[in-house]
Amino acid sequence: MGTTLICVVEDDPIMGESLADRFRLEGFEVDWHIDGESALDAFGSRPYQAVISDIRLPDISGEELFSRAKATRVGVPPFVFITAYASVETAVSVLKSGAADYVTKPFDIGALVEKVRLLTGTGIPDQAMPAQSELGVSEAMRRLAEMVPRIAGRARSILITGESGVGKEVVARFVHRHSPGETLPFVAVNCGAVPDTLLESEFFGHERGAFTGAERQKKGYFEQAEGGTLFLDEIGDLPLSMQVKLLRALQERRITRVGGEREVETTFLLICATNRDLAELVRLGKFREDLFYRINILQLRVPALRDRPDDVLWFAHRFVRDIAGRLGEPIKLFHPSAEARLATYGWPGNVRELQNRLERACIVCSGNMLFSSDIFEEDGAQAVPPPNMDTPLEGYMAACESAFIRAALLQHQGHISETANALGISRKSLWEKMRRHAIAAEPHILASK
């Protein structure tokens, strides 16, 4: 996504510099003009997506700037005016003429940034909105994204928990990007994928000649992550023998390579992740209690995708866009039946399942629109077929409604009351729609419900 270009028109050097600096920090590209005429000249060649202008300027007023811009251009960018309290009447006047908004001095520059973000919409660069561009739009993921910058530079050990496929590594990389070692290595290790016989060598490294086949010195994961982040995924899969060695290395921040005699100091941010209940593993004697407390200083929990439905379509559109870019093809659109099915499916495989289903659908589907059946092969005849352009709109919309109701019934396991509540209609209305669309009340599912 390209950078959002805005225009600041402010003759006060302190105010102008403050505005330009703050918006640049927020990820915007800023042109700063100290008079209205120079701003007008720039309007012809610079594709501004918003204009922030003082009402009082040294040559022409902000009101005249806006008026002349409208007279000479088609598609004037939204204007936000800065005004003193005494000039509020003028600001209200330009609002009636089509200006977007105004703020009165003294104003909260953070609130002004939010106004401009809303006005520029999708032009907001990803880095200006990390909560949405990285982790999701649901409340749970926004809270998580807001917390990360506060802890990334202070915590030495973080534990990320959540079901398989929820995006624990995505969160870990997000933490790394907000840590002091963001420009240094991020070393990701799947603890369950390293053979037991190689664990010590892979983690701590080895010296040349330490064992058969060790033809040269090799740095282990601890040294590779020096200054950066060591991410141990599925740490609950580590055998107890390795847990002891890991605990000692974490306590002392020193390791000794296999076959070596000299201790090597290590400094890194440790992030561990697991989809297992470590406390239960401790109780069963399968995970060391002291290691559990060492890595569980600060825990971040990533909710299952079914518990944050707001993120489903947000992820879906991002994945389809990214897949199209990778394949060099136009971005595929979602049919309403597909969006309804995506929003109501339970996602047992979480974000990973969503991504895999969409990647397959984009590769297999030859058209430019994804239908429910493209994403969910198991839906079969329940999916709405591609529309016949000769079909009346009323019939096509009825087909979409039928698909939505079927998906809702499936989501709520056939419970009529729960489905009706989710759809925002009465039980009677739901039964009538089911009869109209010939949706059978399966006896083994819907009886007595």
Side-chain angles (χ1 to χ4, degrees):
M1 185 179 294
T3 304
T4 304
L5 174 63
I6 66 171
C7 176
V8 173
V9 190
E10 174 59 69
D11 62 313
D12 184 305
I14 297 177
M15 175 69 75
E17 185 176 8
S18 298
L19 288 170
D21 287 347
R22 175 59 183 271
F23 275 94
R24 285 173 182 139
L25 285 173
E26 296 286 346
F28 293 84
E29 183 180 349
V30 182
D31 283 356
W32 171 27
H33 299 275
I34 60 173
D35 59 74
E37 292 291 352
S38 64
L40 273 174
D41 290 341
F43 286 170
S45 59
R46 299 285 283 166
Y48 296 122
Q49 292 172 265
V51 178
I52 304 167
S53 175
D54 201 334
I55 287 284
R56 295 190 175 186
L57 297 171
D59 50 354
I60 60 175
S61 69
E63 186 176 14
E64 184 179 350
L65 170 65
F66 180 55
S67 177
R68 288 171 60 181
K70 286 200 303 176
T72 57
R73 295 193 67 217
V74 176
V76 176
F79 268 67
V80 178
F81 285 102
I82 300 171
T83 180
Y85 181 75
S87 303
V88 167
E89 186 175 339
T90 303
V92 173
S93 174
V94 292
L95 286 185
K96 293 178 180 179
S97 300
D101 208 342
Y102 72 92
V103 293
T104 56
K105 300 176 182 178
F107 58 88
D108 180 354
I109 193 170
L112 177 59
V113 170
E114 292 305 316
K115 286 181 186 289
V116 174
R117 283 181 173 173
L118 290 173
L119 291 172
T120 54
T122 55
I124 302 169
D126 286 348
Q127 65 267 31
M129 297 179 65
Q132 295 195 26
S133 64
E134 298 288 343
L135 302 184
V137 295
S138 64
E139 183 180 355
M141 299 310 288
R142 289 200 308 268
R143 286 201 306 266
L144 193 59
E146 289 170 0
M147 182 189 301
V148 165
R150 296 199 301 270
I151 65 174
R154 302 165 66 186
R156 296 181 65 189
S157 178
I158 296 172
L159 176 63
I160 302 174
T161 61
E163 295 179 6
S164 179
V166 294
K168 296 187 289 294
E169 183 169 344
V170 171
V171 175
R173 291 183 181 275
F174 186 65
V175 173
H176 173 70
R177 285 195 292 274
H178 285 81
S179 70
E182 62 175 319
T183 60
L184 296 170
F186 177 93
V187 179
V189 182
N190 186 331
C191 296
V194 183
D196 290 358
T197 54
L198 297 178
L199 278 170
E200 191 169 356
S201 173
E202 292 297 314
F203 273 81
F204 303 125
H206 62 254
E207 298 288 355
R208 179 181 179 183
F211 49 82
T212 303
E215 298 178 354
R216 59 183 178 84
Q217 183 192 82
K218 178 186 175 182
K219 292 182 178 181
Y221 299 137
F222 281 77
E223 289 185 84
Q224 293 173 29
E226 179 62 31
T229 299
L230 177 61
F231 174 58
L232 301 183
D233 196 11
E234 301 307 340
I235 192 170
D237 293 341
L238 273 182
L240 286 169
S241 59
M242 189 61 196
Q243 291 178 29
V244 177
K245 297 172 183 177
L246 176 62
L247 175 63
R248 183 183 177 197
L250 294 178
Q251 286 176 330
E252 299 179 2
R253 293 284 168 168
R254 294 172 179 269
I255 58 99
T256 302
R257 301 188 192 113
V258 176
E261 297 179 355
R262 182 176 62 87
E263 287 189 331
V264 180
E265 291 189 9
T266 58
T267 302
F268 50 80
L269 168 63
L270 175 70
I271 303 179
C272 300
T274 183
N275 63 2
R276 307 177 69 180
D277 185 344
L278 292 185
E280 177 64 12
L281 293 181
V282 169
R283 190 184 68 81
L284 296 174
K286 296 181 179 180
F287 198 86
R288 290 185 62 92
E289 184 176 24
D290 44 10
L291 179 58
F292 174 65
Y293 288 119
R294 168 64 63 178
I295 65 175
N296 193 31
I297 298 171
L298 194 154
Q299 185 176 144
L300 302 178
R301 178 182 173 275
V302 184
L305 190 57
R306 62 180 172 276
D307 296 329
R308 43 185 174 116
D310 291 350
D311 288 334
V312 175
L313 293 180
W314 180 81
F315 271 124
H317 285 282
R318 285 190 72 196
F319 288 152
V320 167
R321 181 191 67 200
D322 294 344
I323 293 167
R326 181 171 59 81
L327 297 177
E329 298 177 352
I331 299 174
K332 294 187 186 297
L333 305 176
F334 288 103
H335 183 269
S337 68
E339 289 201 339
R341 189 73 169 92
L342 286 167
T344 54
Y345 181 63
W347 299 111
N350 291 293
V351 180
R352 185 181 295 126
E353 180 186 2
L354 172 62
Q355 185 173 20
N356 291 344
R357 281 184 178 269
L358 291 176
E359 183 159 7
R360 179 201 169 277
C362 288
I363 292 173
V364 173
C365 179
S366 58
N368 66 344
M369 181 172 287
L370 294 176
F371 291 84
S372 177
S373 57
D374 294 319
I375 305 168
F376 300 91
E377 293 180 278
E378 62 270 30
D379 282 1
Q382 289 186 2
V384 177
N388 181 339
M389 290 301 109
D390 295 327
T391 301
L393 178 62
E394 182 178 354
Y396 185 60
M397 295 303 293
C400 291
E401 182 179 67
S402 174
F404 196 93
I405 291 173
R406 290 178 188 276
L409 284 165
L410 184 64
Q411 171 71 14
H412 296 281
Q413 300 179 336
H415 290 269
I416 296 297
S417 295
E418 292 180 15
T419 304
N421 287 337
L423 294 174
I425 59 178
S426 67
R427 284 169 52 95
K428 180 181 177 182
S429 294
L430 178 56
W431 279 114
E432 289 175 348
K433 289 179 183 294
M434 290 172 64
R435 279 196 293 270
R436 184 165 67 249
H437 295 301
I439 300 174
E442 297 293 337
H444 64 286
I445 296 179
L446 301 177
S448 303
K449 293 180 180 178

